[in-house]
Amino acid sequence: MFGLFNKKSEKEKLQEAYTKKLAEAHKASQVNRKESDRLATEAEEIAKKIELL
């Protein structure tokens, strides 16, 4: 219950952003392959930042 008010760490924020980008990339892959590739690349950049933490 008290965890509700804790701020998220940088790693948690990056993990959420990574998951969101992958979901967007998957959705875009059904319509626009170029956009999907761009989003997947952004997700990989976020993954690299997570590894550095």
Side-chain angles (χ1 to χ4, degrees):
M1 179 118 195
F2 295 107
L4 179 66
F5 299 107
N6 290 343
K7 292 188 177 193
K8 293 182 181 178
S9 71
E10 186 66 23
K11 187 173 184 177
E12 288 173 325
K13 290 178 186 178
L14 288 172
Q15 287 173 334
E16 283 185 9
Y18 175 74
T19 303
K20 185 177 177 182
K21 286 289 181 188
L22 283 182
E24 289 175 11
H26 177 70
K27 187 174 180 181
S29 70
Q30 299 170 358
V31 180
N32 183 345
R33 185 64 189 176
K34 189 174 183 178
E35 179 71 7
S36 174
D37 290 344
R38 185 185 65 78
L39 291 169
T41 301
E42 288 179 14
E44 290 304 315
E45 290 298 319
I46 294 171
K48 289 177 185 176
K49 289 179 185 177
I50 291 170
E51 288 179 17
L52 292 175
L53 291 179

